[in-house]
Short mmCIF file of all heavy atoms in Angstrom, two decimals:
data_model
loop_
_atom_site.label_atom_id
_atom_site.label_comp_id
_atom_site.label_asym_id
_atom_site.label_seq_id
_atom_site.Cartn_x
_atom_site.Cartn_y
_atom_site.Cartn_z
N VAL A 293 -6.93 -1.21 9.65
CA VAL A 293 -8.19 -1.72 9.23
C VAL A 293 -9.31 -0.87 9.92
O VAL A 293 -9.09 -0.23 11.02
CB VAL A 293 -8.33 -3.16 9.77
CG1 VAL A 293 -7.43 -4.03 8.94
CG2 VAL A 293 -8.25 -3.37 11.28
N LYS A 294 -10.54 -0.84 9.37
CA LYS A 294 -11.64 -0.30 9.97
C LYS A 294 -12.33 -1.05 11.05
O LYS A 294 -12.84 -0.52 11.99
CB LYS A 294 -12.67 0.06 8.87
CG LYS A 294 -12.11 1.08 7.82
CD LYS A 294 -13.18 1.33 6.74
CE LYS A 294 -12.66 2.41 5.75
NZ LYS A 294 -13.58 2.54 4.62
N ASN A 295 -12.13 -2.39 10.88
CA ASN A 295 -12.71 -3.28 11.87
C ASN A 295 -11.81 -4.51 12.00
O ASN A 295 -11.42 -5.17 11.07
CB ASN A 295 -14.12 -3.72 11.43
CG ASN A 295 -14.78 -4.72 12.35
OD1 ASN A 295 -14.27 -5.81 12.56
ND2 ASN A 295 -15.89 -4.22 12.90
N ARG A 296 -11.39 -4.84 13.27
CA ARG A 296 -10.45 -5.91 13.46
C ARG A 296 -11.01 -7.18 13.14
O ARG A 296 -10.20 -8.22 12.72
CB ARG A 296 -9.97 -5.88 14.82
CG ARG A 296 -8.93 -4.86 15.09
CD ARG A 296 -8.35 -4.94 16.46
NE ARG A 296 -7.36 -3.97 16.67
CZ ARG A 296 -6.72 -3.64 17.86
NH1 ARG A 296 -7.08 -4.45 18.85
NH2 ARG A 296 -5.83 -2.69 17.92
N ASN A 297 -12.31 -7.40 13.30
CA ASN A 297 -12.98 -8.71 12.93
C ASN A 297 -13.04 -8.98 11.38
O ASN A 297 -12.79 -10.01 10.93
CB ASN A 297 -14.37 -8.88 13.51
CG ASN A 297 -14.25 -9.08 14.95
OD1 ASN A 297 -13.25 -9.60 15.49
ND2 ASN A 297 -15.27 -8.74 15.78
N THR A 298 -13.52 -7.92 10.66
CA THR A 298 -13.76 -8.03 9.32
C THR A 298 -12.53 -7.83 8.47
O THR A 298 -12.35 -8.14 7.29
CB THR A 298 -14.86 -7.00 8.80
OG1 THR A 298 -14.40 -5.66 8.92
CG2 THR A 298 -16.15 -7.35 9.46
N LYS A 299 -11.48 -7.14 9.18
CA LYS A 299 -10.27 -6.81 8.51
C LYS A 299 -10.41 -5.90 7.24
O LYS A 299 -9.61 -5.83 6.36
CB LYS A 299 -9.41 -8.00 8.09
CG LYS A 299 -9.03 -8.90 9.23
CD LYS A 299 -8.00 -8.29 10.05
CE LYS A 299 -7.47 -9.39 11.11
NZ LYS A 299 -6.54 -8.78 12.06
N GLU A 300 -11.54 -5.12 7.32
CA GLU A 300 -11.83 -4.16 6.25
C GLU A 300 -10.67 -3.09 6.23
O GLU A 300 -10.41 -2.48 7.17
CB GLU A 300 -13.14 -3.47 6.49
CG GLU A 300 -13.46 -2.54 5.32
CD GLU A 300 -14.76 -1.80 5.53
OE1 GLU A 300 -15.47 -1.93 6.47
OE2 GLU A 300 -14.97 -0.81 4.76
N PRO A 301 -9.95 -3.02 4.99
CA PRO A 301 -8.89 -2.07 4.89
C PRO A 301 -9.18 -0.65 5.10
O PRO A 301 -10.38 -0.27 4.88
CB PRO A 301 -8.43 -2.30 3.41
CG PRO A 301 -9.01 -3.59 2.98
CD PRO A 301 -10.32 -3.73 3.69
N ALA A 302 -8.20 0.02 5.76
CA ALA A 302 -8.49 1.48 5.94
C ALA A 302 -7.36 2.32 5.35
O ALA A 302 -6.50 2.86 5.93
CB ALA A 302 -8.40 1.75 7.51
N PRO A 303 -7.53 2.39 3.95
CA PRO A 303 -6.42 3.05 3.13
C PRO A 303 -6.42 4.59 3.45
O PRO A 303 -5.30 5.21 3.50
CB PRO A 303 -6.71 2.84 1.71
CG PRO A 303 -8.14 2.45 1.70
CD PRO A 303 -8.47 1.82 3.02
N GLU A 304 -7.53 5.24 3.73
CA GLU A 304 -7.60 6.68 4.01
C GLU A 304 -6.78 6.89 5.37
O GLU A 304 -6.11 7.82 5.48
CB GLU A 304 -9.07 7.14 4.16
CG GLU A 304 -9.78 6.97 2.91
CD GLU A 304 -10.48 5.63 2.86
OE1 GLU A 304 -10.43 4.88 3.88
OE2 GLU A 304 -11.11 5.26 1.79
N ALA A 305 -7.09 6.07 6.32
CA ALA A 305 -6.36 6.17 7.68
C ALA A 305 -4.84 5.98 7.46
O ALA A 305 -4.10 6.63 8.09
CB ALA A 305 -6.92 5.16 8.63
N THR A 306 -4.49 5.07 6.56
CA THR A 306 -3.09 4.76 6.25
C THR A 306 -2.39 5.98 5.75
O THR A 306 -1.29 6.46 6.14
CB THR A 306 -2.97 3.61 5.26
OG1 THR A 306 -3.62 2.53 5.91
CG2 THR A 306 -1.56 3.24 5.17
N ASN A 307 -3.06 6.68 4.80
CA ASN A 307 -2.47 7.89 4.30
C ASN A 307 -2.32 8.96 5.26
O ASN A 307 -1.32 9.61 5.32
CB ASN A 307 -3.34 8.38 3.07
CG ASN A 307 -3.34 7.54 1.81
OD1 ASN A 307 -2.31 6.76 1.65
ND2 ASN A 307 -4.27 7.57 0.98
N LEU A 308 -3.32 9.16 6.13
CA LEU A 308 -3.35 10.20 7.13
C LEU A 308 -2.22 9.77 8.17
O LEU A 308 -1.44 10.76 8.61
CB LEU A 308 -4.75 10.27 7.85
CG LEU A 308 -4.82 11.30 8.88
CD1 LEU A 308 -4.45 12.70 8.43
CD2 LEU A 308 -6.17 11.23 9.52
N PHE A 309 -2.14 8.53 8.56
CA PHE A 309 -1.07 8.09 9.40
C PHE A 309 0.34 8.36 8.89
O PHE A 309 1.23 8.93 9.60
CB PHE A 309 -1.22 6.60 9.71
CG PHE A 309 -0.11 6.09 10.49
CD1 PHE A 309 0.00 6.30 11.91
CD2 PHE A 309 0.95 5.19 10.03
CE1 PHE A 309 1.00 5.77 12.68
CE2 PHE A 309 1.94 4.78 10.73
CZ PHE A 309 1.97 5.09 12.13
N MET A 310 0.46 8.05 7.59
CA MET A 310 1.84 8.36 7.00
C MET A 310 2.22 9.88 6.98
O MET A 310 3.30 10.25 7.31
CB MET A 310 1.85 7.90 5.54
CG MET A 310 1.86 6.36 5.45
SD MET A 310 1.76 5.80 3.74
CE MET A 310 3.26 6.40 3.04
N GLU A 311 1.17 10.73 6.80
CA GLU A 311 1.38 12.19 6.83
C GLU A 311 1.68 12.56 8.23
O GLU A 311 2.57 13.40 8.31
CB GLU A 311 0.10 12.88 6.22
CG GLU A 311 0.24 14.35 6.24
CD GLU A 311 1.33 14.95 5.41
OE1 GLU A 311 1.91 14.28 4.58
OE2 GLU A 311 1.87 16.12 5.68
N GLN A 312 0.97 12.15 9.16
CA GLN A 312 1.28 12.46 10.66
C GLN A 312 2.70 12.05 10.95
O GLN A 312 3.32 12.81 11.65
CB GLN A 312 0.21 11.84 11.50
CG GLN A 312 -1.06 12.49 11.47
CD GLN A 312 -1.18 13.91 11.81
OE1 GLN A 312 -0.44 14.36 12.76
NE2 GLN A 312 -2.02 14.67 11.09
N CYS A 313 3.09 10.83 10.64
CA CYS A 313 4.54 10.32 10.86
C CYS A 313 5.54 11.32 10.15
O CYS A 313 6.54 11.71 10.85
CB CYS A 313 4.61 8.93 10.35
SG CYS A 313 3.90 7.64 11.38
N ARG A 314 5.18 11.78 8.92
CA ARG A 314 6.14 12.60 8.32
C ARG A 314 6.23 13.88 8.99
O ARG A 314 7.45 14.42 9.10
CB ARG A 314 5.65 12.81 6.73
CG ARG A 314 6.67 13.70 5.99
CD ARG A 314 6.05 14.21 4.78
NE ARG A 314 4.90 15.09 4.94
CZ ARG A 314 5.08 16.43 5.43
NH1 ARG A 314 6.22 16.93 5.58
NH2 ARG A 314 3.97 17.17 5.59
N LYS A 315 5.12 14.48 9.42
CA LYS A 315 5.22 15.68 10.28
C LYS A 315 6.04 15.51 11.46
O LYS A 315 6.69 16.41 11.93
CB LYS A 315 3.81 16.16 10.61
CG LYS A 315 3.04 16.67 9.40
CD LYS A 315 1.66 17.09 9.92
CE LYS A 315 0.80 17.62 8.78
NZ LYS A 315 -0.66 17.93 9.14
N GLY A 316 6.09 14.31 12.05
CA GLY A 316 6.88 14.12 13.28
C GLY A 316 8.27 13.74 12.90
O GLY A 316 9.06 13.55 13.90
#
């Protein structure tokens, strides 16, 4: 999420996270 209170989704961060995990 972009903000823990609003729970606004963070799909861009999710894609980046998945790519970083793949690299690892």
Side-chain angles (χ1 to χ4, degrees):
V293 297
K294 294 178 182 177
N295 180 295
R296 285 187 178 172
N297 287 334
T298 65
K299 299 289 187 184
E300 181 182 351
E304 301 87 6
T306 305
N307 291 336
L308 183 56
F309 175 76
M310 291 177 65
E311 179 60 19
Q312 290 297 325
C313 284
R314 185 194 63 76
K315 287 178 182 176

